[in-house]
Amino acid sequence: MRKWILILILFLIVLFIAYKYVFQEHRDIQTEKSSYTTSAVELAKEFEINSIDSESKYLDKTIQISGSISEFNEHSITLDNSVFCLFSEPQVTLFKLNEKVIIKGRFIGYDDLLEQIKMDQCDIIN
């Protein structure tokens, strides 16, 4: 009888650990501390030199980027024609072209074809 109770307890422990592993809490990028702080121009230069190493360095990290707005709509902003920032929620703030902003978000990849750095879950700092 003790053997079955021990097996049941071990099974429940393994089941609990598996549940916690599969259903982890989501990251809150807005409250996370930035891993890197840089400008859009400097980041683009880094990707021009070596995109593979740069992508592995920044992948899934929280980055704070400053730059001038080159394109915008309610769901995204492009900084200095090189960093595409996708917002989690539509922005009602009125942006102006060439306006300086600081944005924090999660780096998700580099698009070789468009030569754009992609970020999501972005939030405007200033």
Side-chain angles (χ1 to χ4, degrees):
M1 187 68 174
R2 284 186 179 175
K3 180 180 174 182
W4 288 108
I5 292 174
L6 182 61
I7 290 173
L8 179 64
I9 290 172
L10 287 174
F11 177 73
L12 290 174
I13 290 172
V14 169
L15 189 65
F16 178 74
I17 292 170
Y19 175 81
K20 285 296 194 180
Y21 178 75
V22 171
F23 297 105
Q24 296 178 11
E25 291 185 23
H26 295 285
R27 291 171 58 185
D28 187 11
I29 301 297
Q30 284 72 31
T31 59
E32 272 186 31
K33 186 174 178 359
S34 299
S35 300
Y36 299 98
T37 302
T38 185
S39 71
V41 174
E42 290 174 12
L43 191 62
K45 286 180 185 176
E46 190 173 333
F47 274 87
E48 284 177 16
I49 294 169
N50 191 341
S51 64
I52 295 170
D53 288 344
S54 298
E55 188 165 9
S56 64
K57 174 182 175 182
Y58 293 111
L59 190 62
D60 203 34
K61 299 277 195 293
T62 303
I63 305 172
Q64 185 170 320
I65 296 184
S66 59
S68 299
I69 298 174
S70 53
E71 284 182 49
F72 64 91
N73 63 39
E74 66 181 39
H75 297 287
S76 65
I77 283 181
T78 303
L79 298 177
D80 296 318
N81 292 318
S82 60
V83 180
F84 177 80
C85 304
L86 183 65
F87 296 109
S88 300
E89 298 175 5
Q91 299 295 308
V92 294
T93 309
L94 296 175
F95 298 112
K96 298 175 189 166
L97 287 176
N98 299 321
E99 179 181 1
K100 299 276 186 186
V101 293
I102 299 173
I103 293 181
K104 182 164 89 169
R106 179 179 66 125
F107 175 79
I108 57 173
Y110 178 68
D111 187 345
D112 291 330
L113 184 63
L114 298 174
E115 295 181 347
Q116 266 190 341
I117 298 154
K118 304 283 186 177
M119 295 178 62
D120 72 349
Q121 300 181 29
C122 292
D123 193 34
I124 297 174
I125 302 297
N126 68 338

